Structures are given as structure tokens and as C-alpha cells.
Amino acid sequence: MQHICKFFISILFWLSIYTVNAQNQNNKDSVKIDKINFINGIRIELDVSPVITTLLSKGDTYSFEGAVQTTLFQKYFPVFELGFAGANRTSTENVNFTTNGGFFRVGTDFSVMKPKKIPGKFQNFFLVGARLGFSNFTYNMTNVNVYDEYWDVSKTYDFNDVAATKVWFEIAAGIRVEIINNIYMGWTLRNKRMLTNDAEGKISPWYIPGFGVNATSNWGVNYALGYKF
Amino acid sequence: MFNSGYLIKNIFFLFILISMQMGFVSCTTDDECRKEKDVNMQFAFYTETVHPTTQVISKTAFNIDSIWVKALDKDSFIYKNKKNVKTIILPLKKFENQTDFIVQFNDVTDTISIFHDNNENYFLSLECGCIVTHTIKEAVSTNHFIKSIEILNTEINTTDATHLQIFH
């Protein structure tokens, strides 16, 4: 957690220095038309991967999300991702788990390749970045059966509306390719690391909206269709 | 005005991603419970010997020639004429705070009563569900064969450990 805080603080720090430098340069030679715009368009994206992932999970889980990403100085790509996800799964011992809830992630990407915007040519990005993900949701775990074999007695537990807040860190890499004017396509691959762990023996959710199946780390894939304004 | 080369590359990549996603799904969705679920109390048998010259008391583990164990309120035996026994493992009642056992050592019978707290619904996972762990409060017995009982470890969970020492 501490490292992540440091990471984000340093991003903010370098960003502020960059802003000051850019302003100074503008003051010095005001005759020059500023080559680097502060904000270079806003891209709105929709994740189309659920079409496939929902099928692959056999309907156990679903996750829909969209993103807003902007470009600062053609180099930094702050991003806000918002989504809704859920799960409904029954274990082999008939324990049923259901959840649904919203999630969001904030972070920034960096362009690995130096972007060149040549008029009449399409723009492509290779992005690497980090995100901090949040989800506040409730879940149900029902029909949890405990059987005392020797004495032949059993009890069944139902846990309803258990509230949970989860925070995780992501490292993301992806590409965005301009297919037609202002229409982008691309993918993002991410490695997620859970920061809020459950105490041993305490009830914990099987699925976390925005994170996926509960584990110390998880992978995620998005396939984005975007439009740049 | 159409970036067809990138489009083809991108669609090709989509298929790679789908196959990767399939890999993730098969890795993460584990249907079977692969965690230890058995919670048992373990007894070990000892004798105390006093050294004739130094008077130092030493504990020595020993084996019981044959043993029968059942719960006081049940007819079925957990151990029935088991030979050469070094340790025995017994379940405790998951929903009651007292468990009584009748133990027959060779031809001498003793009753052991265990008083315990139960930690109900200790959660493992969706696949494994919950287990009940115990904390031993007190262990008493009749003294026909058993000289004394010593609690070594009060926490009973899925870890393999000796909880009680029975002295003869």
C-alpha cells in the first residue's frame, strides 16, 4: 500500500513539474505555435470482451465496463474506468454464491513509443500504466452445510447481504489503434493484486466486481472499442 | 482511408487473448475442494519414570497394546481393538460443548470428558464451505488406567498436532 501511495505521489509530482516547464516554454517563445497541447482529446471506450468472457465462464460471472481516457502532452494518459459486475455460482456441494456491484478504477498510462501525429495518418499508441481499483458490494453465500459425521447431526448456515469493500492495484499494458478516423480499437492486459485481504477463517467473497475471482492476484483482459472526441 | 493492416493484426490478437482468457478461466475455477477439512483432537500416551538416583522425572512415550474408543452416547466404535497404538485421533462434537469418550486400554476402561468451545463456521472457501474448530477448556477422566491428562495444545483445527498427553 505504501509503495503504491509513493508511486502515485511521484506521478503527481512529475506531472506538476512538467506542467510548470511547459508553461515556462510557452512564455519564452510565445511566437511559436504550441506543438504540444495540454489536453489532446478525450477517448470514450466500451469494453466488448464480456461478449466472450461471459460465455467462457458459462454464465457464472459477468462484467461490463467503460472507460474515459484523455491525453496530456501526448505522453500521459489518465484514465477512469467504471463498470458493473456480478456472479452466481453453485459449488459441487450446493453452496450458492451471488453478488453484483459497481466498481471503478483510476490511474494513468504512459506512451512507450514516441507518438507522432502526422496529418492524414492514423495514430497508434502502446500504453503501459497502473490503476487503483475500488469496489463496494454485497454478497450472499447460502446453504453452507456443516456435518458432524460421527454424531450424525448437521447445521446449515446462510450468510445474506454481507458487505465488502475491496481495493486492488493493477499493472496494465495495451495498445490502441486508430481504425477509421477517430475510432479506436485495442486491448489491455492487466495483472491485479489484492490489497485488502480477508482474515483467515472469516467469510470472504468468491468473486469481486472489477477484480474477478477472489485470490491474491488475478489477470484481466479488456477489448476496447473507442471514439475520440 | 481504412487501416486494414492494423485491423487484421488486431483481430488476430483478439484470438490470442481469447485463448489466454480460456487458460485463466480453467486455472481459476476449481470445482473440487482441495483443502484439509478434518478437525480432530490427538492424544499421545506417556509414562512418567523417576530416575532412581537423580530423582529427575522423565516422560516416555509408549504404545498401548490394544485400544477400544467410542463416544459415551454412541454405540459405534471409533477404534475397535486397534493394536500397538501410539496416538489416537478423535472428533469433538461440533455443536455441543462437552464430548465424552469411553476408552478401553487392554482390559481397563476409563471415561474421558473434554470441555471445549466451538468456533462455528470457520470459512475455508466456496468449494470447501465451513468447518468447526475447537478450543479445549478442560480435560478430565476417571483414573483406572489413566494417571493424569495434560493439555499440550488447546487449539484444535486442521493442523496435525498432539493436543493431549495421557499419563499412565
Side-chain angles (χ1 to χ4, degrees):
Chain A
M1 195 71 192
Q2 212 184 353
H3 289 284
I4 293 140
C5 281
K6 274 184 192 167
F7 178 77
F8 274 92
I9 288 163
S10 61
I11 288 170
L12 287 174
F13 177 72
W14 288 112
L15 217 75
S16 60
I17 285 182
Y18 207 101
T19 320
V20 170
N21 281 345
Q23 279 169 351
N24 285 346
Q25 276 170 2
N26 281 354
N27 288 345
K28 272 176 196 167
D29 27 35
S30 51
V31 199
K32 256 187 185 176
I33 309 147
D34 50 303
K35 282 186 220 157
I36 304 164
N37 293 331
F38 176 67
I39 289 182
N40 200 287
I42 290 172
R43 204 170 62 250
I44 293 188
E45 290 181 343
L46 185 74
D47 179 29
V48 293
S49 69
V51 177
I52 298 138
T53 52
T54 310
L55 278 175
L56 286 177
S57 76
K58 298 177 196 86
D60 276 358
T61 64
Y62 66 88
S63 183
F64 301 102
E65 64 180 270
V68 180
Q69 191 162 35
T70 181
T71 312
L72 299 181
F73 317 114
Q74 300 273 45
K75 198 174 179 186
Y76 304 103
F77 298 77
V79 63
F80 178 77
E81 295 163 336
L82 188 71
F84 190 82
N88 184 353
R89 185 180 162 86
T90 306
S91 79
T92 45
E93 288 179 26
N94 281 322
V95 178
N96 183 250
F97 173 84
T98 54
T99 190
N100 55 59
F103 63 88
F104 71 92
R105 308 185 194 102
V106 284
T108 189
D109 282 330
F110 303 91
S111 175
V112 174
M113 293 183 300
K114 204 179 163 89
K116 282 174 274 179
K117 178 68 187 171
I118 304 153
K121 278 226 173 177
F122 292 111
Q123 209 172 10
N124 306 312
F125 303 102
F126 180 43
L127 305 169
V128 173
R131 316 261 191 285
L132 207 54
F134 302 89
S135 182
N136 195 338
F137 61 102
T138 59
Y139 61 94
N140 303 312
M141 187 130 20
T142 53
N143 200 28
V144 183
N145 191 52
V146 174
Y147 180 51
D148 202 332
E149 215 173 310
Y150 181 63
W151 283 274
D152 194 29
V153 281
S154 71
K155 261 193 191 180
T156 304
Y157 304 97
D158 289 335
F159 305 93
N160 287 310
D161 296 319
V162 185
T165 305
K166 293 281 176 185
V167 182
W168 66 95
F169 177 67
E170 297 184 358
I171 292 169
I175 58 158
R176 291 296 181 270
V177 172
E178 197 172 1
I179 302 294
I180 320 167
N181 270 336
N182 289 327
I183 293 185
Y184 285 79
M185 224 171 141
W187 50 267
T188 303
L189 182 69
R190 36 181 113 215
N191 182 254
K192 311 172 185 193
R193 207 151 280 273
M194 186 49 71
L195 301 173
T196 43
N197 290 314
D198 300 288
E200 200 156 306
K202 287 271 175 290
I203 182 171
S204 59
W206 176 74
Y207 183 87
I208 296 158
F211 182 81
V213 174
N214 194 358
T216 49
S217 84
N218 207 343
W219 290 87
V221 175
N222 299 106
Y223 204 83
L225 269 181
Y227 186 81
K228 188 181 166 185
F229 291 96
Chain B
M1 278 306 273
F2 202 79
N3 201 346
S4 59
Y6 276 112
L7 183 65
I8 289 161
K9 272 183 199 165
N10 235 330
I11 287 167
F12 174 71
F13 204 87
L14 178 67
F15 284 108
I16 295 173
L17 288 183
I18 292 167
S19 49
M20 279 167 84
Q21 190 88 12
M22 275 176 170
F24 299 146
V25 168
S26 63
C27 281
T28 49
T29 48
D30 208 348
D31 289 338
E32 300 262 312
C33 173
R34 292 178 208 283
K35 285 181 181 172
E36 179 62 58
K37 280 189 82 176
D38 291 332
V39 178
N40 284 310
M41 176 181 57
Q42 196 178 93
F43 288 88
F45 306 106
Y46 288 85
T47 50
E48 273 182 340
T49 46
V50 182
H51 197 275
T53 48
T54 57
Q55 298 296 310
V56 174
I57 302 163
S58 59
K59 290 193 253 183
T60 334
F62 80 105
N63 292 10
I64 307 284
D65 293 333
S66 57
I67 202 164
W68 289 259
V69 186
K70 72 175 200 72
L72 187 68
D73 53 358
K74 288 286 286 185
D75 292 329
S76 63
F77 282 89
I78 302 165
Y79 286 88
K80 197 172 185 178
N81 200 9
K82 183 121 193 275
K83 302 288 181 194
N84 208 16
V85 181
K86 197 178 175 190
T87 59
I88 53 169
I89 54 163
L90 300 171
L92 289 178
K93 284 184 179 178
K94 289 184 168 78
F95 312 114
E96 281 174 51
N97 295 99
Q98 186 185 345
T99 312
D100 306 302
F101 295 104
I102 294 177
V103 187
Q104 189 187 331
F105 304 92
N106 307 321
D107 49 5
V108 189
T109 306
D110 267 315
T111 305
I112 302 172
S113 297
I114 313 289
F115 298 90
H116 51 89
D117 282 347
N118 304 322
N119 174 19
E120 282 189 34
N121 53 61
Y122 183 98
F123 183 75
L124 293 176
S125 67
L126 177 67
E127 285 75 21
C128 302
C130 287
I131 56 167
V132 177
T133 61
H134 312 279
T135 306
I136 306 171
K137 291 284 153 194
E138 204 184 348
V140 290
S141 75
T142 55
N143 299 107
H144 304 294
F145 181 86
I146 300 168
K147 202 171 135 199
S148 66
I149 298 180
E150 202 175 290
I151 302 170
L152 210 64
N153 194 342
T154 55
E155 298 304 316
I156 305 174
N157 46 42
T158 52
T159 330
D160 178 33
T162 303
H163 302 97
L164 296 176
Q165 287 183 322
I166 292 183
F167 291 96
H168 173 55

